[in-house]
Amino acid sequence: RFPSLLQGSKRTFDSYAASRQEIKAFSNAAERELEKLFYFHSGRCIHKWAHYLEVYEREFALLRGATIRFLEIGVSEGGSLELWRRYFGEKAIITGIDINPACRSRVDPPNKVRIGSQTDAEFLADVVEEMGGPLDVILDDGSHVASHILITFNLLFPSLRTGGLYVIEDIHTSYWAEIFGGGYRRKGTAVELGKTLVDDMHGWYHDNGQEQLDKTEIASVRFYDSILVIEKGNVAEPRHIKVGSDE
């Protein structure tokens, strides 16, 4: 799935793999609920970077126990859907999509999996309708191909509720030309999408137009190492206010 030699770097992807000693140390230090669920998971395979767990705990903690609609793009071995079920609880509506038909057998009820492409507009619309949208969280852990990420974002962001989160995982692939169509500061990648959204969010203060979304739709854009989170908003025109005495 990942190139053996990272373009623009002398390191390989495998060189980032945690050692057994590191994994033991991480699991011993686990304090947050999602970390504990991950490190002591015994079901289907989950493959995550260690620092993602803290990010997701921060972003998703307030959604636990609620009747949320959670869509994950990229099922792989099915382990992450098991993790989300344990984390969010039985009220959550959780669906995964993948292009690989073998993923049908890797998901247990009440989770669901639908087979199709993340760039297929009709397929995605059907999935959202089946889930009873609008959605609360969309997590793109799919192909990681730059063009696919952008197409999917354009198709699915309108299906997100106000206050919902659109999350793109593994955006370090934005820097890798091999397989993923990336490159340092190359237009059309997830990293550059995030930068454009920052400009769009500040559209109140410049006259260069809105490239991706209207400024009223973006509550916040949050960058983490390899994760981009866009919070959908219903943003009013900003006002500055003075209080207290000028004397």
Side-chain angles (χ1 to χ4, degrees):
R1 184 182 182 183
F2 293 102
S4 57
L5 181 64
L6 308 186
Q7 292 189 348
S9 171
K10 295 180 179 179
R11 299 193 66 170
T12 65
F13 178 74
D14 287 342
S15 71
Y16 289 95
S19 67
R20 290 184 179 181
Q21 291 80 5
E22 288 175 316
I23 295 172
K24 184 177 181 180
F26 289 147
S27 61
N28 288 339
E31 295 181 352
R32 301 174 183 86
E33 184 63 21
L34 188 59
E35 290 175 326
K36 294 176 182 177
L37 291 172
F38 176 81
Y39 286 113
F40 299 101
H41 174 76
S42 59
R44 295 183 176 95
C45 179
I46 313 172
H47 188 190
K48 296 290 183 188
W49 293 75
H51 65 276
Y52 285 12
L53 302 172
E54 180 180 357
V55 172
Y56 286 142
E57 188 80 51
R58 181 182 303 176
E59 294 291 343
F60 298 156
L62 294 179
L63 300 174
R64 294 190 70 197
T67 307
I68 65 164
R69 293 172 171 83
F70 184 100
L71 175 63
E72 182 166 38
I73 301 163
V75 172
S76 189
E77 299 301 316
S80 63
L81 290 181
E82 294 179 344
L83 178 68
W84 298 131
R85 173 58 62 191
R86 293 192 180 99
Y87 184 71
F88 288 117
E90 291 305 310
K91 292 181 181 179
I93 298 167
I94 300 176
T95 299
I97 67 172
D98 204 289
I99 202 168
N100 182 3
C103 291
R104 285 195 180 97
S105 63
R106 299 172 184 170
V107 175
D108 299 317
N111 293 345
K112 295 181 180 180
V113 63
R114 294 294 177 260
I115 303 303
S117 171
Q118 69 178 94
T119 62
D120 184 331
E122 184 176 354
F123 167 70
L124 293 178
D126 287 345
V127 171
V128 172
E129 182 178 4
E130 182 181 287
M131 294 180 69
L135 308 182
D136 297 275
V137 179
I138 299 169
L139 173 56
D140 186 350
D141 185 22
S143 71
H144 303 313
V145 174
S147 59
H148 296 175
I149 291 170
L150 191 57
I151 291 170
T152 306
F153 178 79
N154 289 332
L155 291 174
L156 281 180
F157 190 83
S159 300
L160 201 63
R161 70 166 175 83
T162 299
L165 303 176
Y166 196 103
V167 183
I168 305 175
E169 189 174 295
D170 293 344
I171 64 171
H172 50 264
T173 57
S174 295
Y175 300 104
W176 301 345
E178 184 182 350
I179 302 176
F180 303 110
Y184 185 70
R185 293 185 177 176
R186 182 173 181 176
K187 286 290 186 182
T189 67
V191 167
E192 296 305 313
L193 168 65
K195 294 177 184 178
T196 297
L197 291 173
V198 170
D199 289 333
D200 286 349
M201 182 173 62
H202 291 92
W204 307 101
Y205 316 108
H206 63 77
D207 297 318
N208 294 291
Q210 312 276 242
E211 288 190 47
Q212 194 65 49
L213 293 175
D214 189 81
K215 54 187 175 290
T216 61
E217 293 185 272
I218 310 170
S220 65
V221 180
R222 301 190 281 275
F223 275 103
Y224 301 91
D225 177 354
S226 302
I227 295 178
L228 173 62
V229 180
I230 304 104
E231 182 180 355
K232 189 171 186 177
N234 183 15
V235 182
E237 185 176 8
R239 290 288 184 268
H240 59 78
I241 300 169
K242 283 186 178 183
V243 295
S245 174
D246 284 336
E247 296 180 2

